[in-house]
PDB file of all heavy atoms in Angstrom:
ATOM      1  N   ILE B 369      10.362  -4.055 -22.579  1.00 97.00           N
ATOM      2  CA  ILE B 369       9.637  -3.417 -21.454  1.00 97.00           C
ATOM      3  C   ILE B 369      10.342  -3.766 -20.131  1.00 97.00           C
ATOM      4  O   ILE B 369      11.123  -4.732 -20.059  1.00 97.00           O
ATOM      5  CB  ILE B 369       8.170  -3.880 -21.403  1.00 97.00           C
ATOM      6  CG1 ILE B 369       8.045  -5.417 -21.456  1.00 97.00           C
ATOM      7  CG2 ILE B 369       7.354  -3.306 -22.559  1.00 97.00           C
ATOM      8  CD1 ILE B 369       8.157  -6.081 -20.219  1.00 97.00           C
ATOM      9  N   ASP B 391      14.282 -10.424  -7.085  1.00 97.00           N
ATOM     10  CA  ASP B 391      14.259 -10.457  -8.555  1.00 97.00           C
ATOM     11  C   ASP B 391      13.105 -11.325  -9.021  1.00 97.00           C
ATOM     12  O   ASP B 391      13.298 -12.405  -9.628  1.00 97.00           O
ATOM     13  CB  ASP B 391      15.605 -10.998  -9.071  1.00 97.00           C
ATOM     14  CG  ASP B 391      15.667 -11.010 -10.610  1.00 97.00           C
ATOM     15  OD1 ASP B 391      14.914 -10.243 -11.238  1.00 97.00           O
ATOM     16  OD2 ASP B 391      16.466 -11.779 -11.177  1.00 97.00           O
ATOM     17  N   GLN B 393       9.863 -12.881 -11.033  1.00 98.00           N
ATOM     18  CA  GLN B 393       9.816 -13.232 -12.460  1.00 98.00           C
ATOM     19  C   GLN B 393       8.409 -13.364 -13.034  1.00 98.00           C
ATOM     20  O   GLN B 393       8.257 -13.453 -14.273  1.00 98.00           O
ATOM     21  CB  GLN B 393      10.555 -14.573 -12.681  1.00 98.00           C
ATOM     22  CG  GLN B 393      12.025 -14.546 -12.385  1.00 98.00           C
ATOM     23  CD  GLN B 393      12.799 -13.652 -13.334  1.00 98.00           C
ATOM     24  OE1 GLN B 393      12.464 -13.551 -14.477  1.00 98.00           O
ATOM     25  NE2 GLN B 393      13.837 -12.970 -12.838  1.00 98.00           N
ATOM     26  N   ASP B 396       7.443 -10.817 -15.635  1.00 98.00           N
ATOM     27  CA  ASP B 396       8.343 -10.930 -16.770  1.00 98.00           C
ATOM     28  C   ASP B 396       7.918 -12.131 -17.661  1.00 98.00           C
ATOM     29  O   ASP B 396       7.913 -12.025 -18.873  1.00 98.00           O
ATOM     30  CB  ASP B 396       9.791 -11.209 -16.281  1.00 98.00           C
ATOM     31  CG  ASP B 396      10.390 -10.009 -15.561  1.00 98.00           C
ATOM     32  OD1 ASP B 396       9.851  -9.671 -14.484  1.00 98.00           O
ATOM     33  OD2 ASP B 396      11.350  -9.392 -16.078  1.00 98.00           O
ATOM     34  N   ALA B 406      11.347  -8.721 -21.842  1.00 98.00           N
ATOM     35  CA  ALA B 406      11.416  -8.183 -20.492  1.00 98.00           C
ATOM     36  C   ALA B 406      12.846  -7.981 -20.074  1.00 98.00           C
ATOM     37  O   ALA B 406      13.619  -8.929 -20.009  1.00 98.00           O
ATOM     38  CB  ALA B 406      10.691  -9.120 -19.525  1.00 98.00           C
ATOM     39  N   ILE B 407      13.250  -6.743 -19.863  1.00 98.00           N
ATOM     40  CA  ILE B 407      14.661  -6.471 -19.640  1.00 98.00           C
ATOM     41  C   ILE B 407      15.086  -6.816 -18.193  1.00 98.00           C
ATOM     42  O   ILE B 407      14.269  -6.813 -17.262  1.00 98.00           O
ATOM     43  CB  ILE B 407      15.038  -4.967 -19.905  1.00 98.00           C
ATOM     44  CG1 ILE B 407      14.260  -4.034 -18.965  1.00 98.00           C
ATOM     45  CG2 ILE B 407      14.778  -4.611 -21.360  1.00 98.00           C
ATOM     46  CD1 ILE B 407      14.843  -2.647 -18.871  1.00 98.00           C
ATOM     47  N   ASP B 408      16.359  -7.031 -18.010  1.00 98.00           N
ATOM     48  CA  ASP B 408      16.931  -7.143 -16.682  1.00 98.00           C
ATOM     49  C   ASP B 408      17.266  -5.729 -16.224  1.00 98.00           C
ATOM     50  O   ASP B 408      17.862  -4.971 -16.974  1.00 98.00           O
ATOM     51  CB  ASP B 408      18.269  -7.893 -16.745  1.00 98.00           C
ATOM     52  CG  ASP B 408      18.081  -9.371 -16.554  1.00 98.00           C
ATOM     53  OD1 ASP B 408      17.117  -9.735 -15.849  1.00 98.00           O
ATOM     54  OD2 ASP B 408      18.854 -10.172 -17.089  1.00 98.00           O
ATOM     55  N   TRP B 409      16.834  -5.369 -15.019  1.00 98.00           N
ATOM     56  CA  TRP B 409      17.141  -4.029 -14.549  1.00 98.00           C
ATOM     57  C   TRP B 409      17.229  -3.996 -13.036  1.00 98.00           C
ATOM     58  O   TRP B 409      16.892  -4.995 -12.386  1.00 98.00           O
ATOM     59  CB  TRP B 409      16.192  -2.995 -15.112  1.00 98.00           C
ATOM     60  CG  TRP B 409      14.731  -3.142 -14.704  1.00 98.00           C
ATOM     61  CD1 TRP B 409      13.946  -4.255 -14.761  1.00 98.00           C
ATOM     62  CD2 TRP B 409      13.887  -2.096 -14.173  1.00 98.00           C
ATOM     63  NE1 TRP B 409      12.694  -3.993 -14.331  1.00 98.00           N
ATOM     64  CE2 TRP B 409      12.611  -2.677 -13.935  1.00 98.00           C
ATOM     65  CE3 TRP B 409      14.094  -0.768 -13.854  1.00 98.00           C
ATOM     66  CZ2 TRP B 409      11.543  -1.915 -13.418  1.00 98.00           C
ATOM     67  CZ3 TRP B 409      13.021  -0.003 -13.352  1.00 98.00           C
ATOM     68  CH2 TRP B 409      11.777  -0.603 -13.136  1.00 98.00           C
ATOM     69  N   ALA B 410      17.623  -2.866 -12.483  1.00 97.00           N
ATOM     70  CA  ALA B 410      18.026  -2.870 -11.036  1.00 97.00           C
ATOM     71  C   ALA B 410      16.902  -2.415 -10.114  1.00 97.00           C
ATOM     72  O   ALA B 410      17.058  -2.500  -8.927  1.00 97.00           O
ATOM     73  CB  ALA B 410      19.241  -1.972 -10.870  1.00 97.00           C
ATOM     74  N   LYS B 412      13.480  -3.239 -10.042  1.00 98.00           N
ATOM     75  CA  LYS B 412      12.262  -4.035 -10.047  1.00 98.00           C
ATOM     76  C   LYS B 412      11.438  -3.932  -8.755  1.00 98.00           C
ATOM     77  O   LYS B 412      10.244  -3.897  -8.768  1.00 98.00           O
ATOM     78  CB  LYS B 412      12.633  -5.498 -10.219  1.00 98.00           C
ATOM     79  CG  LYS B 412      12.542  -6.038 -11.588  1.00 98.00           C
ATOM     80  CD  LYS B 412      12.835  -7.543 -11.548  1.00 98.00           C
ATOM     81  CE  LYS B 412      12.574  -8.137 -12.909  1.00 98.00           C
ATOM     82  NZ  LYS B 412      12.875  -9.569 -12.941  1.00 98.00           N
ATOM     83  N   ASP B 438      16.555   4.361 -14.626  1.00 98.00           N
ATOM     84  CA  ASP B 438      17.201   3.101 -14.894  1.00 98.00           C
ATOM     85  C   ASP B 438      16.484   2.351 -16.031  1.00 98.00           C
ATOM     86  O   ASP B 438      17.129   1.797 -16.921  1.00 98.00           O
ATOM     87  CB  ASP B 438      17.218   2.202 -13.640  1.00 98.00           C
ATOM     88  CG  ASP B 438      18.085   0.979 -13.804  1.00 98.00           C
ATOM     89  OD1 ASP B 438      19.281   1.124 -14.188  1.00 98.00           O
ATOM     90  OD2 ASP B 438      17.590  -0.164 -13.602  1.00 98.00           O
ATOM     91  N   ARG B 442      18.253   1.503 -19.767  1.00 98.00           N
ATOM     92  CA  ARG B 442      18.439   0.129 -20.291  1.00 98.00           C
ATOM     93  C   ARG B 442      17.574  -0.158 -21.498  1.00 98.00           C
ATOM     94  O   ARG B 442      17.415  -1.293 -21.907  1.00 98.00           O
ATOM     95  CB  ARG B 442      18.152  -0.884 -19.189  1.00 98.00           C
ATOM     96  CG  ARG B 442      19.185  -0.818 -18.084  1.00 98.00           C
ATOM     97  CD  ARG B 442      18.825  -1.729 -16.904  1.00 98.00           C
ATOM     98  NE  ARG B 442      19.544  -1.318 -15.717  1.00 98.00           N
ATOM     99  CZ  ARG B 442      20.495  -2.064 -15.153  1.00 98.00           C
ATOM    100  NH1 ARG B 442      20.850  -3.217 -15.681  1.00 98.00           N
ATOM    101  NH2 ARG B 442      21.081  -1.649 -14.060  1.00 98.00           N
TER     102      ARG B 442
END
Side-chain angles (χ1 to χ4, degrees):
Chain B
I369 50 87
D391 182 22
Q393 296 293 327
D396 293 65
I407 63 163
D408 269 331
W409 64 308
K412 263 185 172 178
D438 190 54
R442 292 174 199 248

